[in-house]
């Protein structure tokens, strides 16, 4: 898509635009932005206001200020447009010198059921990237609203015994079979969530691939980083600013370890999902998948760690009741940092529960609209195919 810098002279540069709600930003959003950036040289991302999202889709989980900051933290994003219009027009693309806009292979509809990208599609200034299998904002909301026996199995069954405690999240969920028996028949091909399959190629695509260089300050942090959110971003940004040339390594604990110290049915996202979520952050250089809970001598020596940071949140003791940060404290390289943001994964779950009925209604309405559009598209395609067959017969 060209080699020039932004804008370029003589049309050499190719700028792509991407617009969306970016509510509860997850690795699916990050993967779409990664694909979009690969289509051009400079990626501008438009993020809608709370008012626009509420009008067309329903109440967002995060505020627009939180969503703006989350999108800025994704490493493939060059610039964001705050308060981008919900319907993408040619005027919008021209205003930001964008050659084309990019969206996933799902469909985005206005409140009256119209394709928000219809105009730019007609003019050939629309590109499509593949939707990431296994996750959606709708799915994540569902995980937090229900709990089933298959939390981390990626298997959905209509025979689960569903617990009535809404404070416990869910992994496998199905609005039609569990949450909304009166909801639309069938499934939307865009909202429906299939199994997430982690591959080494996906990790390579998300990883920076850069090793620490002489003169870099190697900083290590560890945790669950579940439902990767703005609290995590603010913390990692604060950690990143602890050195002039930071190389930040994030140690992610295995699901069983997170469940040990978090309890309930945490983590909401499994270790593979959390790995991609953290790797997409511009402040992160490397991730240790399944890091030991205790930050011991072997880990510190292997990565040549200069500084170990932890936020203001509680430090849970290890299985043997020992302090997991005893070794870095002994070496004098432990530092508590204050990001100024106390948001936790628990807080997000509580936001969902507080507005449970609104979110359930939003998701049911969204899928019903998508199914109607999908059926219309399918009927049109079948009609065209029948016409072609009849013409060929003549």
């Amino acid at each position: 898509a060209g080699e020039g810098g932004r804008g370029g002279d003589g049309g050499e540069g190719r700028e792509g635009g991407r617009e969306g709600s970016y509510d509860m930003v997850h690795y699916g959003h990050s993967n779409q932005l990664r694909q979009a950036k690969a289509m051009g040289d400079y990626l501008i991302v438009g993020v809608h206001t709370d008012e626009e999202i509420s009008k067309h889709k329903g109440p967002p989980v995060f505020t627009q200020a939180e969503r703006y900051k989350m999108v800025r933290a994704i490493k493939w994003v060059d610039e964001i447009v705050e308060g981008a219009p919900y319907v993408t027009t040619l005027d919008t693309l021209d205003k930001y010198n964008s050659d084309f806009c990019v969206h996933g292979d799902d469909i985005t509809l206005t409140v009256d059921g119209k394709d928000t990208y219809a105009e730019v599609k007609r003019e050939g200034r629309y590109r499509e990237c593949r939707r990431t299998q296994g996750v959606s904002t709708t799915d994540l909301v569902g995980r937090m609203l229900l709990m089933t026996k298959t939390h981390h199995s990626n298997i959905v069954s209509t025979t689960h015994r569903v617990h009535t405690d809404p404070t416990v999240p869910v992994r496998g969920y199905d609005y039609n079979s569990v949450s909304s028996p009166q909801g639309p028949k069938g499934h939307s091909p865009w909202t429906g969530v299939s199994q997430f399959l982690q591959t080494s190629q996906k990790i390579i695509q998300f990883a920076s691939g850069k090793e620490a260089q002489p003169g870099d300050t190697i900083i290590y942090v560890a945790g669950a980083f579940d439902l990767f959110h703005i609290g995590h971003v603010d913390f990692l940004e604060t950690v990143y600013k602890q050195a002039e040339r930071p190389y930040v390594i994030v140690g992610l604990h295995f699901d069983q370890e997170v469940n040990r110290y978090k309890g309930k049915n945490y983590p909401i996202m499994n270790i593979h999902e959390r790995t991609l979520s953290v790797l997409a952050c511009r402040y992160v250089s490397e991730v240790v998948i399944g890091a030991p809970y205790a930050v011991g001598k072997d880990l510190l020596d292997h990565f040549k760690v200069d500084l170990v940071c932890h936020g203001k949140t509680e430090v849970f003791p290890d299985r043997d009741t020992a302090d997991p940060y005893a070794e870095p404290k002994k070496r004098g390289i432990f530092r508590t940092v204050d990001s100024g943001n106390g948001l936790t994964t628990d807080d997000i779950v509580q936001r969902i529960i507080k507005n449970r009925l609104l979110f359930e209604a939003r998701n049911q309405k969204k899928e019903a609209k998508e199914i109607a559009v999908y059926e219309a598209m399918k009927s049109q395609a079948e009609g065209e195919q029948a016409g072609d067959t009849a013409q060929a017969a003549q």
Side-chain angles (χ1 to χ4, degrees), residues 75 203-211 247 279 284-286:
K75 62 187 179 184
I203 293 176
I204 290 169
Q205 289 171 342
F206 271 61
S208 67
K210 296 178 181 177
E211 296 183 358
Y247 187 90
L279 279 174
V284 176
S285 302
E286 181 63 288

Side-chain angles (χ1 to χ4, degrees), residues 93-133:
L93 295 188
D94 292 341
K95 181 178 179 180
Y96 297 102
N97 300 317
S98 294
D99 296 280
F100 56 87
C101 66
V102 183
H103 193 260
D105 54 7
D106 54 342
I107 192 166
T108 304
L109 304 172
T110 62
V111 67
D112 53 359
K114 295 179 181 177
D115 183 354
T116 60
Y117 291 93
E119 181 180 324
V120 291
K121 285 178 179 178
R122 282 196 304 269
E123 298 299 321
R125 292 175 67 180
Y126 175 85
R127 305 282 176 87
E128 207 163 77
C129 59
R130 294 182 61 187
R131 179 173 177 265
T132 305
Q133 296 297 312

Side-chain angles (χ1 to χ4, degrees), residues 221 289 352 363:
V221 300
I289 305 170
I352 297 293
N363 292 344

Side-chain angles (χ1 to χ4, degrees), residues 37 73 108 147 246 257 261 264 268 293 301 307 349-350 354 379:
K37 179 61 181 286
T108 304
M147 184 179 81
E257 192 68 66
Y261 62 81
K264 295 182 182 178
I268 293 166
Y293 189 70
D301 292 345
L307 181 65
V349 173
Q350 291 307 315
K354 182 179 177 182
S379 296

Side-chain angles (χ1 to χ4, degrees), residues 92-309:
T92 302
L93 295 188
D94 292 341
K95 181 178 179 180
Y96 297 102
N97 300 317
S98 294
D99 296 280
F100 56 87
C101 66
V102 183
H103 193 260
D105 54 7
D106 54 342
I107 192 166
T108 304
L109 304 172
T110 62
V111 67
D112 53 359
K114 295 179 181 177
D115 183 354
T116 60
Y117 291 93
E119 181 180 324
V120 291
K121 285 178 179 178
R122 282 196 304 269
E123 298 299 321
R125 292 175 67 180
Y126 175 85
R127 305 282 176 87
E128 207 163 77
C129 59
R130 294 182 61 187
R131 179 173 177 265
T132 305
Q133 296 297 312
V135 69
S136 73
T137 301
T138 308
D139 171 53
L140 292 177
V141 169
R143 297 187 200 186
M144 288 180 274
L145 288 178
L146 299 173
M147 184 179 81
T148 72
K149 297 285 187 182
T150 58
H151 180 50
H152 289 298
S153 71
N154 286 315
I155 298 171
V156 176
S157 167
T158 58
T159 59
H160 299 322
R161 173 174 171 264
V162 180
H163 296 252
T164 56
D165 181 3
T167 65
V168 189
V170 63
R171 173 59 190 97
Y173 106 106
D174 180 339
Y175 266 112
N176 291 312
S177 63
V178 179
S179 177
S180 56
Q182 304 304 318
K185 301 297 181 184
H187 295 279
S188 160
W190 303 301
T191 297
V193 175
S194 60
Q195 184 176 4
F196 170 66
L197 300 173
Q198 180 71 288
T199 64
S200 58
Q201 181 61 32
K202 186 63 66 186
I203 293 176
I204 290 169
Q205 289 171 342
F206 271 61
S208 67
K210 296 178 181 177
E211 296 183 358
Q213 301 299 312
D216 288 351
T217 299
I218 300 175
I219 309 174
Y220 182 78
V221 300
F225 292 91
D226 194 16
L227 270 185
F228 195 74
H229 54 73
I230 192 62
H232 296 133
V233 167
D234 283 340
F235 167 67
L236 289 171
E237 183 181 14
T238 304
V239 168
Y240 187 84
K241 291 177 177 177
Q242 298 300 305
E244 189 174 330
R245 290 179 49 183
Y247 187 90
V248 179
I249 302 174
V250 176
L252 289 178
H253 302 140
F254 277 131
D255 299 338
Q256 296 89 335
E257 192 68 66
V258 175
N259 187 256
R260 177 186 70 82
Y261 62 81
K262 288 278 289 181
K264 295 182 182 178
N265 212 22
Y266 288 109
I268 293 166
M269 301 180 92
N270 66 42
I271 183 68
H272 304 299
E273 297 176 303
R274 292 185 284 120
T275 296
L276 294 184
S277 298
V278 174
L279 279 174
C281 180
R282 65 173 67 252
Y283 306 115
V284 176
S285 302
E286 181 63 288
V287 168
V288 180
I289 305 170
Y293 189 70
V295 184
K297 180 179 183 300
D298 289 346
L299 184 146
L300 295 175
D301 292 345
H302 177 78
F303 292 108
K304 298 180 173 59
V305 176
D306 299 302
L307 181 65
V308 176
C309 294

Side-chain angles (χ1 to χ4, degrees), residues 36-52:
K37 179 61 181 286
M39 295 179 187
D41 303 305
Y42 192 88
L43 179 61
I44 303 171
V45 182
V47 185
H48 308 314
T49 62
D50 296 343
E51 183 181 4
E52 283 278 82

Side-chain angles (χ1 to χ4, degrees), residues 21-34:
S21 305
Y22 298 101
D23 195 22
M24 289 190 65
V25 173
H26 50 69
Y27 61 91
H29 293 124
S30 300
N31 193 37
Q32 285 190 338
L33 294 174
R34 179 191 65 79

